[in-house]
Amino acid sequence: EAGVVQSPRYKIIEKKQPVAFWCNPISGHNTLYWYLQNLGQGPELLIRYENEEAVDDSQLPKDRFSAERLKGVDSTLKIQPAELGDSAVYLCASSPSEREWDNEQFFGPGTRLTVL
Amino acid sequence: AQSVTQLGSHVSVSEGALVLLRCNYSSSVPPYLFWYVQYPNQGLQLLLKYTSAATLVKGINGFEAEFKKSETSFHLTKPSAHMSDAAEYFCAVSDAGNTGKLIFGQGTTLQVKP
């Protein structure tokens, strides 16, 4: 079974440029998460999807961040414009059922963003 | 609000020695607790989880953790460290609303010396 796929794995951009990250969850997983992981820190949730609906986006900085999950499968996270402080690893995860709280979240390898 | 504190950002042990990674939690409701491992340039992988069943939880790769409500702790242990155990370890608690949101600690880097 394929795991969570993310691309690109690495991205280097200049500040004020836009950037997008893509995530393909494990087949059949209805719940998808985007996390932000700063260096030396644990991941922090940005947004959670149940199928195509964003059910928790309270931590997403909506002035510059946006996300979508069309058709309830793949998801894209966008930053526009990027700032120096956005340099971090962006992790995507998925889980298989409605009982997310005790279910394993399967993480992708992440996209490491460097903003110059 | 839920929170997790991992004591010690770096832990170094010799190969074959006991591994002990400490995690204390704060939760307004009975918690669900998790340990994840992250190898360099990889995503997080679940080691084990506590979901109100047995207080001693066994996970993959010989790791186990014990839930102690009186101490609000969920420490991770392994009797004998292997070189391959060198990684970053994260303790996490599920949020009070049981929505699936995980609140992670800051992580502990485990170094295993030959």
Side-chain angles (χ1 to χ4, degrees), chain A residues 40-51:
Chain A
Q41 302 291 321
E44 299 174 32
L45 182 69
L46 288 172
I47 189 168
R48 178 171 70 94
Y49 281 93
E50 290 289 345
N51 298 303

Side-chain angles (χ1 to χ4, degrees), chain A:
Chain A
E1 177 183 84
V4 176
V5 179
Q6 291 188 248
S7 69
R9 291 294 312 278
Y10 304 91
K11 188 73 175 179
I12 300 174
I13 61 171
E14 294 188 348
K15 62 182 180 181
K16 301 185 181 180
Q17 295 300 305
V19 64
F21 315 125
W22 176 79
C23 173
N24 179 241
I26 292 173
S27 178
H29 284 195
N30 297 326
T31 308
L32 183 145
Y33 310 80
W34 282 103
Y35 287 88
L36 166 69
Q37 185 178 21
N38 286 307
L39 186 64
Q41 302 291 321
E44 299 174 32
L45 182 69
L46 288 172
I47 189 168
R48 178 171 70 94
Y49 281 93
E50 290 289 345
N51 298 303
E52 67 274 11
E53 181 183 1
V55 295
D56 183 359
D57 63 357
S58 58
Q59 303 301 311
L60 189 72
K62 298 181 184 62
D63 57 336
R64 297 184 301 109
F65 286 66
S66 65
E68 62 183 11
R69 192 184 183 197
L70 300 176
K71 301 181 181 179
V73 181
D74 295 1
S75 178
T76 303
L77 178 69
K78 298 178 181 178
I79 308 175
Q80 182 171 9
E83 298 180 350
L84 295 177
D86 296 331
S87 295
V89 176
Y90 292 82
L91 295 167
C92 179
S94 67
S95 70
S97 78
E98 292 182 354
R99 289 184 59 192
E100 298 94 349
W101 64 87
D102 69 346
N103 261 350
E104 177 175 355
Q105 291 186 22
F106 294 79
F107 284 80
T111 297
R112 182 176 298 276
L113 174 66
T114 302
V115 182
L116 302 176

Side-chain angles (χ1 to χ4, degrees), chain A residues 9-10 37 89 91 108-110 112, chain B residues 37-45 83-90 109-110:
Chain A
R9 291 294 312 278
Y10 304 91
Q37 185 178 21
V89 176
L91 295 167
R112 182 176 298 276
Chain B
V37 61
Q38 186 175 33
Y39 298 102
N41 298 316
Q42 295 186 29
L44 281 72
Q45 179 184 4
M83 297 296 293
S84 60
D85 294 328
E88 186 88 13
Y89 292 80
F90 293 95
T109 300
L110 176 65

Side-chain angles (χ1 to χ4, degrees), chain B residues 20-99:
Chain B
L20 172 60
L21 304 182
R22 300 177 186 273
C23 172
N24 287 89
Y25 69 90
S26 173
S27 177
S28 57
V29 299
Y32 294 108
L33 295 160
F34 307 79
W35 275 99
Y36 280 84
V37 61
Q38 186 175 33
Y39 298 102
N41 298 316
Q42 295 186 29
L44 281 72
Q45 179 184 4
L46 182 70
L47 278 176
L48 49 82
K49 62 183 179 183
Y50 168 77
T51 57
S52 73
T55 56
L56 182 62
V57 182
K58 294 188 183 297
I60 62 172
N61 301 337
F63 284 93
E64 62 181 37
E66 186 172 8
F67 172 72
K68 292 186 176 181
K69 183 178 179 180
S70 61
E71 299 178 7
T72 61
S73 68
F74 190 57
H75 302 330
L76 182 71
T77 60
K78 182 174 181 177
S80 177
H82 295 165
M83 297 296 293
S84 60
D85 294 328
E88 186 88 13
Y89 292 80
F90 293 95
C91 183
V93 62
S94 188
D95 81 315
N98 289 332
T99 62

